[in-house]
């Protein structure tokens, strides 16, 4: 399988109160230039990851933060460094995240000319009141404009992010945002329920009683409504939070959900690479420390190498996020035995109880979660941990 590459650009115009991704609010152009130089150096130093059995990366994903805050010239230098170090022949999907309020037609045309062929747009909502509540700097009109500009720039593979389960967001408002998004005909949609992560402003406000959590039943109703409406509109619900037109799943994110290899660059980025000797994985991450990164410190932290149990557990809890589930033959090819031979009779009985209640399915070829199972996925996935 081909490698995936991820580049984390931590810069933002402002920090959203719900976000726990590593980001730094700055308008310092000198800092962005120093970051680009350091990132290029990190990528070039990664040449030791190349091994004969790899055919080169087939996906490259720029996330953040807001990576489009870098100049097109800086983004091109980063892409050139990737192509210098890794064989670019098989690169098929090159994604960049953009925000509606911080890009324009000129920038989008430049990105397309630079080689990006997929956009991920952080729309979050088409309701201005909800956007204000989320601390977003754009308005709903910006979402329409950026979609129109992206099409004019030549992008044929666009993903929209939407959020639900937000304090003050009624079912009517959610359905209207969902309908508006479908009218824009993106190739891909990612739908996320608002989560209160430690260290975020929203979590502090929740503890202070200044905002409230959406009732779990209402949250699940929003999720199930989206599932029904998007299936009617011709989208495939291929992962717990993701929907796509046929053949347009996120190739890069599929690597995370099928235990494929990927390398991450930039502060806060994660990697998973298999040993040439054992074939087992090892995870690493870059400490989320921009200052240390710019000063040239080695911020890479290696975890202990996986054993076969680690890899099998990780495979199950990621692959079961997919509507395809886990193919029994694939598991046997990877680990040498069947799923239940590996995890045992107790796990089989526990999973079977979820099959009986309609939360999961099992046949001769696979095991998988249903929509009902997606709603309680953590409970089911814990069977394999």
């Amino acid at each position: 399988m081909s490698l995936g590459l991820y580049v984390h650009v931590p810069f933002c115009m402002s920090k959203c109160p719900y976000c726990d991704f590593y980001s730094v609010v700055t308008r310092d152009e000198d800092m962005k230039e120093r970051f680009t130089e350091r990132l290029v150096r990190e990528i070039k130093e990664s040449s030791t990851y190349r091994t004969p059995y790899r055919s080169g990366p087939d996906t490259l994903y720029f996330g953040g933060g807001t990576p489009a805050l870098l100049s097109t010239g800086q983004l091109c230098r980063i892409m050139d460094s990737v192509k210098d170090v890794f064989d670019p022949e098989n690169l098929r999907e090159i994604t960049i995240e953009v925000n509606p309020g911080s890009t324009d037609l000129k920038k989008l045309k430049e990105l397309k000319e630079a080689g990006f062929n997929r956009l991920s747009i952080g729309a979050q909502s088409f309701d201005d009141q909800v956007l204000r509540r989320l601390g977003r700097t754009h308005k709903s009109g910006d979402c329409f404009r950026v979609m129109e500009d992206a099409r004019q720039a030549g992008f044929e593979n666009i993903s929209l992010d939407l959020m639900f389960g937000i304090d003050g967001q009624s079912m009517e408002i959610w359905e209207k945002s969902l309908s508006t998004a479908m009218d824009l005909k993106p190739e891909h949609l990612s739908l996320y329920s608002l989560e209160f992560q430690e260290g975020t402003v929203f979590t502090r406000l929740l503890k202070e009683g200044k905002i409230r959590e959406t009732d779990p039943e209402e949250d699940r109703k929003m999720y199930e409504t989206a599932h029904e409406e998007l299936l009617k509109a011709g989208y495939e619900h291929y992962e717990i939070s993701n929907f796509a037109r046929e053949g347009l799943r996120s190739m890069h994110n599929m690597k995370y959900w099928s235990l494929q290899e990927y390398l991450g660059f930039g502060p806060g980025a994660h990697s998973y690479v298999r040993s040439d000797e054992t074939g087992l994985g090892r995870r690493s991450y870059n400490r989320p420390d921009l200052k240390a990164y710019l000063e040239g410190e080695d911020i890479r932290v290696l975890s202990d190498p996986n054993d076969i149990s680690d890899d099998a557990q990780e495979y199950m809890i990621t692959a079961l996020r997919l509507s395809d589930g886990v193919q029994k033959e694939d598991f046997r090819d990877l680990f040498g035995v069947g799923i239940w031979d590996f995890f045992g009779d107790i796990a089989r009985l526990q999973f079977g109880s979820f099959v009986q209640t309609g939360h999961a399915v099992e046949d001769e070829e696979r095991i998988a979660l249903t929509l009902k199972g997606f709603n309680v996925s953590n409970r089911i996935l814990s069977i394999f941990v």
Side-chain angles (χ1 to χ4, degrees):
M1 294 181 180
S2 295
L3 194 65
L5 302 179
Y6 174 79
V7 175
H8 190 75
V9 180
F11 304 122
C12 280
M13 298 287 285
S14 63
K15 183 72 174 178
C16 296
Y18 57 85
C19 179
D20 70 333
F21 290 118
Y22 179 61
S23 62
V24 176
V25 176
T26 185
R27 296 175 185 268
D28 187 335
E29 297 303 322
D30 179 64
M31 180 183 289
K32 294 175 187 177
E33 178 59 27
R34 287 189 293 128
F35 171 81
T36 301
E37 292 173 358
R38 176 70 178 89
L39 188 60
V40 166
R41 188 161 74 250
E42 183 191 7
I43 293 168
K44 289 183 176 178
E45 289 169 354
S46 72
S47 59
T48 55
Y49 290 119
R50 286 181 296 172
T51 57
Y53 75 89
R54 292 200 188 101
S55 58
D58 59 356
T59 68
L60 173 59
Y61 192 107
F62 283 68
T66 308
L69 290 179
L70 294 183
S71 71
T72 307
Q74 290 166 335
L75 292 167
C76 285
R77 281 157 54 198
I78 296 166
M79 286 181 60
D80 287 344
S81 69
V82 167
K83 293 174 182 179
D84 287 343
V85 172
F86 300 94
D87 182 358
E89 183 178 351
N90 294 318
L91 264 178
R92 291 173 52 199
E93 182 186 271
I94 306 177
T95 304
I96 187 166
E97 295 177 351
V98 299
N99 280 332
S102 58
T103 190
D104 57 22
L105 177 59
K106 179 176 181 293
K107 182 63 174 266
L108 290 168
K109 285 182 175 179
E110 291 173 351
L111 293 174
K112 188 68 171 63
E113 290 171 5
F116 291 97
N117 57 19
R118 184 174 185 273
L119 289 181
S120 178
I121 301 173
Q124 312 312 349
S125 178
F126 287 91
D127 183 89
D128 286 338
Q129 189 174 355
V130 171
L131 289 171
R132 282 195 298 272
R133 214 170 261 128
L134 289 171
R136 304 295 290 178
T137 57
H138 69 271
K139 294 185 177 181
S140 57
D142 296 318
C143 300
F144 294 106
R145 178 188 54 78
V146 75
M147 279 294 294
E148 183 179 344
D149 287 349
R151 295 303 190 196
Q152 189 173 338
F155 283 96
E156 298 178 348
N157 193 353
I158 299 174
S159 178
L160 283 181
D161 287 356
L162 293 179
M163 292 179 67
F164 61 95
I166 302 156
D167 185 19
Q169 180 191 41
S170 66
M171 177 63 75
E172 182 183 358
I173 291 173
W174 169 239
E175 289 180 328
K176 185 176 179 181
S177 275
L178 191 62
S179 175
T180 301
M182 289 188 289
D183 287 344
L184 292 173
K185 296 182 170 52
E187 285 68 33
H188 189 280
L189 282 152
S190 296
L191 311 183
Y192 301 109
S193 175
L194 176 64
E195 295 184 4
F196 291 88
Q197 305 286 357
E198 281 302 318
T200 64
V201 173
F202 266 13
T203 297
R204 175 175 58 80
L205 294 175
L206 181 68
K207 291 175 180 177
E208 293 173 354
K210 294 178 179 177
I211 58 174
R212 66 174 181 86
E213 245 177 312
T214 298
D215 178 78
E217 287 189 13
E218 182 77 358
D219 180 274
R220 291 300 85 191
K221 186 178 178 183
M222 289 179 171
Y223 178 68
E224 290 170 4
T225 296
H227 168 87
E228 293 170 8
E229 293 304 314
L230 286 167
L231 259 60
K232 287 179 189 174
Y235 289 88
E236 172 196 21
H237 190 176
Y238 74 95
E239 192 270 344
I240 288 178
S241 301
N242 289 276
F243 300 76
R245 296 290 186 190
E246 185 178 355
L248 290 168
R249 297 180 179 189
S250 167
M251 288 176 56
H252 184 81
N253 288 341
M254 284 295 295
K255 295 184 183 298
Y256 303 145
W257 301 317
S258 53
L259 210 65
Q260 297 181 46
E261 293 180 293
Y262 55 90
L263 288 175
F265 304 104
H270 289 246
S271 302
Y272 173 84
V273 180
R274 292 199 187 95
S275 162
D276 294 338
E277 289 76 27
T278 66
L280 297 173
R282 186 174 193 175
R283 296 192 179 277
S284 64
Y285 69 93
N286 285 346
R287 285 187 288 112
D289 188 336
L290 180 61
K291 184 174 182 293
Y293 188 72
L294 293 179
E295 290 176 354
E297 292 183 27
D298 182 3
I299 61 172
R300 188 163 171 256
V301 179
L302 283 170
S303 66
D304 292 331
N306 280 5
D307 59 25
I308 193 167
S309 292
D310 295 325
D311 264 6
Q313 289 174 12
E314 291 180 12
Y315 181 72
M316 293 300 290
I317 64 176
T318 53
L320 280 174
R321 292 183 60 89
L322 298 167
S323 59
D324 296 339
V326 176
Q327 304 299 313
K328 292 180 176 179
E329 184 178 349
D330 289 348
F331 187 93
R332 187 178 292 276
D333 288 344
L334 284 168
F335 302 106
V337 296
I339 294 171
W340 304 124
D341 293 325
F342 193 98
F343 287 99
D345 290 338
I346 293 177
R348 184 171 195 165
L349 286 171
Q350 290 175 323
F351 191 83
S353 69
F354 284 108
V355 172
Q356 291 174 358
T357 56
H359 291 86
V361 293
E362 178 175 8
D363 56 31
E364 291 183 0
E365 296 182 352
R366 68 174 187 138
I367 67 171
L369 306 190
T370 63
L371 175 65
K372 191 176 176 181
F374 281 168
N375 280 325
V376 294
S377 59
N378 288 341
R379 284 171 50 197
I380 304 175
L381 298 180
S382 67
I383 293 171
F384 303 98
V385 177

